[in-house]
Amino acid sequence: MAAPTIPLPARCFAELVGTFLLVFFGCGAVHVAMLTGALAGLWQVAVVWAIAIMLAIYVVGGISGAHINPAITVALTVWRQFDWRDAPAYVASQFAGAFAAAAVLFLLFGPFLADKERAKGVVRGQPGSEITAMCYGEYFPDPGRLANGTDAYKHEDHERLNALVPVPAAFAAEALGTLVLALVVFAVTDPRNVAAPAGRLAPVFIGLTVAALISVIAPLTQACFNPARDFGPRVFAALAGWGDIALPGQRGAGTFAVYLAAPVLGAVLGGGLYRCLLRPMLPAAPEPRSAPHEVVLDDARRRAGAAAPGA
């Protein structure tokens, strides 16, 4: 018997809460690393992001499916695993959750942000304040190295750093990273995939996938893979005093291409790679009545009236 459909407002609220948790813990780790030094090294920040994703999925996955990412919502919609009529509300909720998390982090870390800017000799909203704006929106390449140490900010150092990652390279990195993420999401939530993690472990592997991707791609683009994660906090930062430094940022239209278009394109391609090329190679055995590899995301999508991965 099919489970009753969960109302769209309830699912949207769950998406808002899930995305809030993701951004609060993930961007919170960036704040701690950049402003206090309490987290040392890229891997420590990546692990916090992984845990944030796991927690968000486990908390709201049974209600909304825990997309918590507009790129994943679009990919599921394109590959007919989510109702396109619900997608705009999901995306709006994800952006709202990310914006709210940024606001809370600003309230908590405001004095630390101001202290970092004083130490580096930069004025919020002026060139160089990327070293604190990066705690919210993302930049390519990662300006974190400019925030480290005790030396004052130097414009020439920033120019040399920016030259290392042009817009096409950043676009490719974000598209590829999101392609891999979507590929894993589609694979580990497919009940027909006998190699998928058993029980309710799919969120763990999704989180670990993000941690691995951050470890490779973050030095290039800060590893976004999620338009809500970037633009919700970016809009907040623009309103909180960073202005043009936050939105649109130094790269102008390139910012929108890298952090909005590239993740969506990558997610659609990753979902298509699994659905069209890999899944047809799986054994055509009938699915068991009680699918042993069914996970939170699948169950929620059915209850939300959307086809689960593999359906």
Side-chain angles (χ1 to χ4, degrees), residues 34-201:
M34 291 296 101
L35 304 177
T36 75
L39 290 175
L42 181 59
W43 177 245
Q44 290 190 11
V45 175
V47 167
V48 176
W49 277 106
I51 295 172
I53 289 169
M54 296 177 207
L55 293 177
I57 296 175
Y58 281 126
V59 168
V60 305
I63 302 169
S64 67
H67 298 187
I68 57 176
N69 184 340
I72 295 298
T73 298
V74 171
L76 290 169
T77 302
V78 167
W79 298 110
R80 300 180 181 179
Q81 294 180 213
F82 187 68
D83 192 333
W84 64 268
R85 292 169 295 185
D86 295 345
Y90 262 50
V91 170
S93 301
Q94 292 154 3
F95 277 99
F99 183 94
V104 171
L105 288 169
F106 182 78
L107 289 175
L108 294 175
F109 287 92
F112 290 90
L113 291 160
D115 185 64
K116 174 64 74 172
E117 289 163 349
R118 283 193 298 269
K120 289 295 180 178
V122 299
V123 176
R124 186 172 302 174
Q126 298 299 315
S129 60
E130 290 91 341
I131 61 177
T132 48
M134 65 169 289
C135 293
Y136 300 96
E138 301 192 284
Y139 297 84
F140 58 96
D142 179 2
R145 69 178 70 180
L146 301 173
N148 296 328
T150 58
D151 294 337
Y153 167 83
K154 295 179 181 177
H155 179 72
E156 55 270 24
D157 291 342
H158 204 170
E159 288 294 314
R160 285 194 295 270
L161 181 65
N162 285 343
L164 296 176
V165 183
V167 172
F171 186 97
E174 283 293 317
L176 177 60
T178 319
L179 183 155
V180 172
L181 173 60
L183 174 64
V184 171
V185 169
F186 275 69
V188 301
T189 60
D190 183 358
R192 189 176 147 192
N193 180 9
V194 296
R200 306 295 188 198
L201 291 178

Side-chain angles (χ1 to χ4, degrees), residues 222-256:
Q222 289 191 257
C224 177
F225 320 133
N226 183 334
R229 173 264 174 271
D230 178 74
F231 271 80
R234 186 183 294 278
V235 171
F236 174 82
L239 297 174
W242 281 273
D244 292 344
I245 294 297
L247 190 67
Q250 255 189 343
R251 303 299 184 103
T255 300
F256 296 94

